[in-house]
Amino acid sequence: MQSEYNQIAAAFARAKPLRNGEDAAGLKSAAYDAKLKKRRISQFKVTHGLLLAVLSWIFLLHAVGLFFFTKGFLLTRLVLEHKSECANPPIDVLEWHRPGSASEGCWHPKTFEKAVVIIIDALRYDFTVPFQPGKAKSTPNQYHDALPILYETAVQQPNNAFLLPFIADPPTTTLQRLQGLTTGTLPTFIDAGSNFAGTAIEEDNLVAQLRDSGKTLVHLGDDTWHSLFPGYFNANLTHKYDSFNVWDLHTVDNGVTEHLLPLLSPTNSSKWDVIFGHYLGVDHAGHRYGPDHPAMKAKLQQMNELLRKVMTLLDDRTLLVIMGDHGMDAKGDHGGESDDEVEAALWMYSKKPTFGRTRPDFIEPPITAKERPVGQIDIVSTLSLLLGMPIPFNNLGAPIVEAFVGIGSNDWQNLARVARLTGAQIKRYQHEYALARRLDSSATSGPLAHWDTAEQIWDNSASGTEPKPDLEQFQDVHAAFSSYQGITLSICRELWARFNVPSMVLGIQILTAGVILLIYLSRLIRGDITDLIPLLLSRLFKHSGRGAAIGTLLCIFFPSLPWISGLLLGVVTGGLAGSATWIFQYRSLLLAFLPNTLWGWLAVVFTISQSVGFASNSFTIWEDEILMFFLCTFGMMALSSSLQRNQLAERSLGSYHSIFFLFLTRLASLSRLCREEQMPHCKSTYYASATSSTSAPWQLSIPFISALVLPGIIKSFYKGTRSYAGSAVFWIDVAFRLGLLLTAIFWTLDTADDGDWIQMDKGVLKTSRVMIAQLIFTIAVAAGGTTFALAQPCVSIETSQQNQSSPNGLVKLGDQSKPEFVTILGYANVHGSRYFLLVINWLLAIILVQKPMGGGAIGILASQILSLLEVIDTNDLSQSSIGPIVFGLLGSFHFFKTGHQATLSSIQWESAFVPLHTIRYPWSPLLVVLNTYGAQILTTVAVPLIALWKQPPKKKGLLSDVAKVATTYILYYAVISLATTMWAGWLRRHLMLYRIFSPRFMMGACVLLFVDIVTVIVSVAGVSWNTLSVAEVFGWA
């Protein structure tokens, strides 16, 4: 290859005296002065670096705008540092109990000395009750009747056990569910002192109360507990396990069982007081396979046998609690607020008769979770009183009736006492919270009126006005204090649903300013924008520095203003002021604000109509269908435009690729993952079924078809411009095809493992898959990155003895004194063909982390990108805004076609372990990002091709064209993010806020930030490598 490039350089040297016509075709002498060449390279690198700096500042602008909006939008609550004390009950209890002794019970006589609390992660309520055939469902699922012991024991021994629906407060993520299960308070998206990163819980909680009373605590299982309660558990008896590896169904469960059963033996009973066991197998089976799979049945049966063993090992002094922290949806995922995700199960068991029912017909557990549910926060006050602990200070839950009504089901006096005691603690918390938040009396007057009413009823029953209070009076007392607890809970929900509107508005204003700046940079500046960037960057840095200084001073004079907020606000405000002065200085170079072509208006209509549509929940729900309509509209207009081209070759090529683009759009639409709100008008095809998280066997043909067809499709586009030469030959036909074939083998082994097709050790099978995946990533990242960095342009030469006309893609060099002519094949697409090698590398990596159906969709996306480039070239649209906008539409469309929705539950967490045995930071999170936003990442990497495709080597202003294309593309996602942000803020009281609008806002924000990052570090950076490589051979313009 090097000899060919030497021949090209020599040919240029021989062609120096050629006629002016050849010079006009771009074939100047290659004999550059070394000093001049070095200066041009230096100038390009400086200009390119300044462009990266401006794009990085735009990323900062978006991040700060989203920070301020999120700061005001995601709900917060003040965490009080108060702690409940054993000797200080909220009311006088001396009449029936002497407080202050943990051995007897702090505020209430304790019922149990010890407890075993087992969390079966994602234990949905319908996993625990018998299957009831009916019109809607005549045959049971795999998960039905696999865990019968909970229901059977509750029915056969009602004084020893009860089973109830256990309703979680969204978001249904394990970390926040554990916060609610131990503190008794409501979750918010951001807690002061606790967040998604797993910061230790500082507020009063049941685990802390147990530790402070001298109890020996043991934890087994999910390591999330150790993030929340560091140092709380006995180090010698505690065993934690990684909770993130959703591909592993057995390691955690087997480890918990291995250490749990020996601790329950009589010889070890003195070593512990409370055991917390957290099983993950059911949750992981749901994530990996879905609930309706034999693996789920086997896991539930395993739990059933385990619980039988645990029950036999318990003594009369020990309480056994089995609970789910949340449920799972039809595919086995969770995180949202659908019924299946919030409906968990709660089961309590004691060998000594303890429990009761308030009505005889309540002996049988509810058949559905809609009957007699209890809130998960109710477990905190219940366990606290049963174990003789103080109720945690921030608790808002009520005691569970079945635990205190007594074996005769008539101990309403005890129920009235615990309801009053819990209500008094809630009243104490309510008072302190109102003082800390400086709330006016209107916020507390309603609950206090209910409290006064309940106290009056209590006083009447206890004052002696009746010789002997009867059951009805205690029932009235219990109802009154339960009403107080309920109304207080509702008030707290409203209090913690208060948004910081000024911060939200500030964030929206910053995002709006960013959109305006992008409009100017991308579409309104006449000429070469790179010539104006140095002054823009100078203004940005100078005014941002001044703004940072002012923001710092504000933080000094106003200590209540967080320094990070003041600093960031100063930086972006100053930078925006600097950019405004820059725009004003170059106002004479501005173009018309409104588009002047049909294609420009179409780009505006696509962007604005999609943005406006996010105000509708139905539009947001069916966004994938709307995007397909937009893409088909573009395809039809491209076909119409291509048919009007003057030259037959252009008409044919443009029409073919427009039709091919339309066909691929419809083909991609066959891949679909339906969200709950789309049912029953949607049928999922991404997985084997709507209740599965595994691929169907027939879908394994997709990666093999991709390995066979996709390299050929890419090769055909290269051959169309005579660019199938140099590194492209080996990389497309050998390395890329080999990577796709290995990907097909990987997913075949994965599906074989899921279906137990191969009788092989699971560990060996997993190791084989990991080795294959790592080899694929080595090809895509290491070998691919090296190839792109070092590759010469994808051109070749031919020599001939006679003069011929030069068709498209060919350039001929000759010397009039010699009969030999040199033809350069691939000259017409030298930039595009080389840059696409970078796209192929990312394409291979993204296909690997997708399920077979998703990998097929990504392959279709790559083919659509190439067809779109041909359509843009044929119709002379490289300078139009329609190209980047359609790239953005393609990225958003294929986000849905790769098995994703704008919901937390659609995140495919198992992708974190495609090339890994266990979680590894930062690689595991990055793999999830690559899986989730792979479509947008691929279009971001490819978008510079709009400016590079079929451009001659020495085209002037090429970097400026790339800058305009990149900023237009970012502009699309910035407008979408701004729209979803605005509508989430405006509809913050909408019933569907946290189910529809908030997840779409979070998706838009994440996509925008990732697009910004990839544009800077991959796309525009890749253009630099590409341009330098081409200039090394063909020289500078």
Side-chain angles (χ1 to χ4, degrees):
M1 282 304 304
Q2 188 62 42
S3 62
E4 288 189 352
Y5 294 114
N6 292 337
Q7 293 179 50
I8 295 173
F12 269 98
R14 293 196 305 270
K16 184 175 182 179
L18 289 177
R19 58 187 178 276
N20 292 336
E22 291 176 323
D23 289 339
L27 299 175
K28 283 188 175 181
S29 170
Y32 280 96
D33 179 80
K35 187 175 181 180
L36 177 61
K37 178 181 177 182
K38 185 176 181 180
R39 185 184 306 126
R40 293 301 304 272
I41 294 175
S42 177
Q43 288 175 348
F44 173 80
K45 289 182 176 180
V46 169
T47 302
H48 181 266
L50 295 177
L51 175 60
L52 291 179
V54 170
L55 294 174
S56 299
W57 191 87
I58 290 174
F59 163 73
L60 175 65
L61 185 66
H62 290 154
V64 172
L66 292 169
F67 165 76
F68 278 106
F69 179 85
T70 303
K71 188 166 170 282
F73 178 72
L74 295 185
L75 306 182
T76 62
R77 66 178 175 88
L78 175 66
V79 174
L80 301 182
E81 296 181 356
H82 299 68
K83 310 289 184 182
S84 294
E85 298 176 359
C86 186
N88 184 25
I91 55 173
D92 183 9
V93 297
L94 285 175
E95 178 184 345
W96 47 277
H97 179 65
R98 182 175 295 277
S101 172
S103 60
E104 299 296 329
C106 289
W107 297 354
H108 181 272
K110 71 178 180 180
T111 310
F112 298 98
E113 295 287 341
K114 305 160 77 72
V116 177
V117 180
I118 295 179
I119 294 93
I120 301 178
D121 207 289
L123 181 64
R124 206 168 71 190
Y125 183 72
D126 58 344
F127 293 179
T128 66
V129 294
F131 173 68
Q132 301 290 323
K135 294 182 180 179
K137 187 74 175 176
S138 59
T139 57
N141 296 101
Q142 294 284 350
Y143 55 80
H144 280 126
D145 302 323
L147 183 59
I149 189 172
L150 307 184
Y151 185 89
E152 291 174 357
T153 309
V155 173
Q156 297 169 6
Q157 306 175 50
N159 295 136
N160 299 88
F162 64 86
L163 173 65
L164 291 172
F166 200 40
I167 306 303
D169 293 294
T172 49
T173 54
T174 293
L175 186 147
Q176 290 205 320
R177 288 294 76 246
L178 292 181
Q179 291 176 327
L181 288 168
T182 55
T183 63
T185 192
L186 298 173
T188 58
F189 280 93
I190 298 178
D191 291 338
S194 181
N195 56 38
F196 281 113
T199 303
I201 296 178
E202 301 294 340
E203 64 183 307
D204 197 10
N205 62 82
L206 176 60
V207 181
Q209 288 288 348
L210 290 167
R211 181 197 61 174
D212 294 343
S213 67
K215 302 290 185 182
T216 300
L217 308 182
V218 176
H219 170 260
L220 305 170
D222 188 343
D223 59 355
T224 305
W225 287 77
H226 293 264
S227 299
L228 302 177
F229 307 105
Y232 281 46
F233 304 107
N234 183 289
N236 296 324
L237 302 177
T238 292
H239 299 273
K240 63 178 181 178
Y241 298 88
D242 176 24
S243 61
F244 198 64
N245 190 351
V246 296
W247 281 38
D248 187 350
L249 274 60
H250 307 295
T251 299
V252 177
D253 288 8
N254 293 343
V256 175
T257 302
E258 177 187 352
H259 297 97
L260 173 63
L261 297 181
L263 286 174
L264 298 179
S265 66
T267 56
N268 292 320
S269 62
S270 61
K271 296 180 179 180
W272 57 272
D273 293 299
V274 179
I275 297 176
F276 295 95
H278 196 144
Y279 285 85
L280 293 173
V282 171
D283 179 70
H284 289 184
H287 282 300
R288 184 172 180 181
Y289 302 107
D292 191 18
H293 190 276
M296 178 64 75
K297 182 176 183 178
K299 183 54 64 175
L300 291 173
Q301 290 173 339
Q302 179 187 0
M303 293 295 100
N304 195 72
E305 293 306 311
L306 165 74
L307 296 181
R308 290 190 187 278
K309 295 177 182 178
V310 172
M311 291 169 61
T312 60
L313 293 173
L314 291 180
D315 56 35
D316 291 347
R317 304 179 304 149
T318 304
L319 169 68
L320 175 61
V321 182
I322 308 297
M323 68 176 84
D325 55 342
H326 50 75
M328 62 176 68
D329 64 14
K331 299 188 295 79
D333 298 318
H334 58 89
E337 57 177 321
S338 67
D339 289 347
D340 283 344
E341 292 171 271
V342 301
E343 293 173 351
L346 171 68
W347 182 75
M348 286 191 179
Y349 173 81
S350 167
K351 274 199 169 180
K352 67 177 180 182
T354 303
F355 307 124
R357 310 290 190 273
T358 56
R359 288 168 44 180
D361 55 330
F362 283 178
I363 291 178
E364 198 169 291
I367 293 301
T368 71
K370 304 297 187 294
E371 307 169 46
R372 294 158 45 205
V374 297
Q376 287 197 347
I377 60 174
D378 295 344
I379 195 66
V380 175
S381 58
T382 302
L383 288 181
S384 296
L385 295 176
L386 290 175
L387 295 175
M389 294 292 105
I391 298 174
F393 193 86
N394 296 338
N395 169 74
L396 295 172
I400 297 172
V401 172
E402 285 78 358
F404 299 98
V405 73
I407 58 175
S409 300
N410 58 359
D411 195 354
W412 284 97
Q413 184 179 28
N414 188 42
L415 271 178
R417 287 171 176 171
V418 297
R420 181 170 179 256
L421 183 59
T422 306
Q425 175 54 43
I426 293 175
K427 179 176 178 290
R428 183 157 62 176
Y429 167 73
Q430 180 186 22
H431 173 73
E432 295 296 336
Y433 191 89
L435 291 178
R437 279 294 196 192
R438 297 183 175 89
L439 301 177
D440 55 38
S441 58
S442 62
T444 58
S445 59
L448 289 178
H450 280 75
W451 171 263
D452 292 339
T453 300
E455 279 289 272
Q456 184 63 44
I457 298 173
W458 170 264
D459 291 341
N460 290 341
S461 65
S463 63
T465 55
E466 293 286 344
K468 185 178 180 180
D470 57 20
L471 291 180
E472 287 189 11
Q473 287 181 300
F474 286 123
Q475 289 175 353
D476 292 341
V477 172
H478 176 264
F481 283 108
S482 297
S483 175
Y484 165 73
Q485 180 268 339
I487 192 66
T488 304
L489 185 61
S490 299
I491 293 295
C492 288
R493 290 185 192 275
E494 294 179 6
L495 287 175
W496 296 335
R498 292 185 177 179
F499 302 87
N500 187 342
V501 176
S503 182
M504 293 166 59
V505 171
L506 178 60
I508 291 173
Q509 290 174 337
I510 293 173
L511 291 174
T512 303
V515 166
I516 294 172
L517 177 59
L518 282 170
I519 291 174
Y520 276 98
L521 287 173
S522 61
R523 310 314 310 169
L524 299 185
I525 299 295
R526 184 187 297 110
D528 193 329
I529 194 174
T530 58
D531 294 337
L532 310 180
I533 280 181
L535 181 60
L536 171 61
L537 199 61
S538 173
R539 297 282 176 87
L540 287 176
F541 276 114
K542 182 169 65 175
H543 287 77
S544 293
R546 293 174 180 174
I550 295 173
T552 303
L553 289 175
L554 288 175
C555 293
I556 294 175
F557 289 108
F558 299 95
S560 60
L561 178 65
W563 70 270
I564 186 66
S565 299
L567 182 63
L568 291 176
L569 180 59
V571 168
V572 298
T573 303
L576 288 171
S579 62
T581 63
W582 174 79
I583 292 173
F584 181 78
Q585 179 169 341
Y586 289 109
R587 61 190 182 279
S588 61
L589 299 179
L590 296 181
L591 300 172
F593 188 81
L594 296 177
N596 54 12
T597 65
L598 177 62
W599 291 110
W601 276 110
L602 186 63
V604 171
V605 169
F606 282 162
T607 306
I608 298 301
S609 58
Q610 186 180 3
S611 302
V612 172
F614 287 124
S616 165
N617 58 345
S618 58
F619 180 98
T620 306
I621 291 169
W622 293 98
E623 183 182 357
D624 54 343
E625 296 296 307
I626 304 297
L627 289 168
M628 185 176 69
F629 172 77
F630 286 165
L631 290 173
C632 289
T633 300
F634 168 79
M636 292 301 299
M637 292 196 65
L639 176 60
S640 175
S641 175
S642 298
L643 290 173
Q644 299 176 40
R645 303 299 295 176
N646 294 326
Q647 297 184 11
L648 177 62
E650 290 185 345
R651 286 200 302 272
S652 301
L653 187 64
S655 299
Y656 166 76
H657 284 293
S658 297
I659 294 172
F660 190 49
F661 183 88
L662 284 168
F663 168 75
L664 291 176
T665 300
R666 296 299 303 183
L667 182 63
S669 69
L670 299 178
S671 174
R672 167 176 286 182
L673 177 70
C674 303
R675 58 186 293 164
E676 182 188 12
E677 296 83 1
Q678 291 177 328
M679 304 303 289
H681 307 292
C682 176
K683 182 178 180 181
S684 292
T685 60
Y686 190 79
Y687 295 110
S689 68
T691 59
S692 174
S693 292
T694 60
S695 299
W698 71 266
Q699 292 175 333
L700 292 178
S701 63
I702 296 175
F704 285 99
I705 294 173
S706 296
L708 179 67
V709 174
L710 188 55
I713 293 176
I714 296 174
K715 185 196 304 184
S716 68
F717 283 89
Y718 271 72
K719 286 187 172 181
T721 56
R722 310 294 181 90
S723 301
Y724 192 61
S727 300
V729 175
F730 174 80
W731 199 247
I732 295 173
D733 215 18
V734 179
F736 181 55
R737 192 184 298 276
L738 175 62
L740 292 177
L741 182 60
L742 290 172
T743 300
I745 295 173
F746 172 90
W747 285 110
T748 300
L749 291 176
D750 178 78
T751 306
D753 187 13
D754 291 344
D756 293 326
W757 297 350
I758 303 176
Q759 298 304 316
M760 182 185 295
D761 181 80
K762 295 286 187 180
V764 174
L765 205 54
K766 172 63 177 176
T767 300
S768 301
R769 296 202 308 271
V770 168
M771 291 177 63
I772 292 173
Q774 290 177 351
L775 177 58
I776 297 170
F777 270 113
T778 300
I779 295 173
V781 179
T786 303
T787 298
F788 176 76
L790 302 179
Q792 298 285 357
C794 299
V795 296
S796 60
I797 63 171
E798 288 183 358
T799 58
S800 60
Q801 299 298 321
Q802 57 184 357
N803 194 8
Q804 299 175 357
S805 60
S806 300
N808 183 37
L810 308 178
V811 174
K812 296 190 175 182
L813 304 175
D815 190 330
Q816 292 178 341
S817 63
K818 297 180 179 180
E820 182 179 287
F821 287 86
V822 177
T823 304
I824 303 178
L825 307 178
Y827 181 90
N829 194 24
V830 64
H831 285 288
S833 60
R834 189 193 183 283
Y835 183 86
F836 196 80
L837 296 176
L838 178 64
V839 179
I840 292 175
N841 298 338
W842 282 88
L843 175 61
L844 179 58
I846 293 171
I847 287 177
L848 172 62
V849 298
Q850 306 293 333
K851 297 277 189 177
M853 200 75 167
I858 292 296
I860 292 173
L861 172 59
S863 303
Q864 285 185 286
I865 288 172
L866 288 167
S867 283
L868 178 58
L869 292 172
E870 292 292 346
V871 170
I872 290 172
D873 175 71
T874 303
N875 292 275
D876 298 327
L877 297 176
S878 62
Q879 300 296 319
S880 172
S881 60
I882 191 64
I885 299 303
V886 174
F887 263 70
L889 292 173
L890 276 174
S892 298
F893 176 68
H894 283 275
F895 167 84
F896 296 101
K897 302 301 107 182
T898 52
H900 299 96
Q901 286 283 350
T903 59
L904 293 176
S905 59
S906 70
I907 298 175
Q908 298 170 24
W909 298 108
E910 64 271 22
S911 59
F913 304 96
V914 168
L916 302 171
H917 284 283
T918 186
I919 185 171
R920 292 286 186 272
Y921 292 102
W923 310 118
S924 294
L926 289 177
L927 289 167
V928 175
V929 170
L930 195 63
N931 169 274
T932 306
Y933 303 113
Q936 290 97 332
I937 290 173
L938 187 64
T939 53
T940 304
V941 175
V943 78
L945 286 166
I946 296 174
L948 300 176
W949 196 253
K950 291 188 176 180
Q951 298 300 330
K954 296 195 286 186
K955 180 185 178 183
K956 291 185 177 181
L958 194 61
L959 186 60
S960 175
D961 293 342
V962 170
K964 290 181 178 180
V965 165
T967 50
T968 304
Y969 177 78
I970 295 173
L971 174 62
Y972 166 77
Y973 283 110
V975 172
I976 296 301
S977 179
L978 173 62
T980 56
T981 302
M982 291 174 59
W983 294 126
W986 181 259
L987 300 170
R988 60 189 181 275
R989 298 296 179 185
H990 195 282
L991 180 64
M992 293 293 180
L993 175 65
Y994 292 110
R995 180 171 289 195
I996 296 176
F997 298 109
S998 180
R1000 189 58 185 85
F1001 148 68
M1002 290 188 285
M1003 172 190 161
C1006 290
V1007 169
L1008 176 60
L1009 296 180
F1010 287 129
V1011 163
D1012 285 339
I1013 293 171
V1014 175
T1015 299
V1016 172
I1017 68 175
V1018 180
S1019 304
V1020 179
V1023 170
S1024 174
W1025 286 92
N1026 203 71
T1027 304
L1028 290 171
S1029 174
V1030 172
E1032 182 68 24
V1033 175
F1034 293 100
W1036 296 88

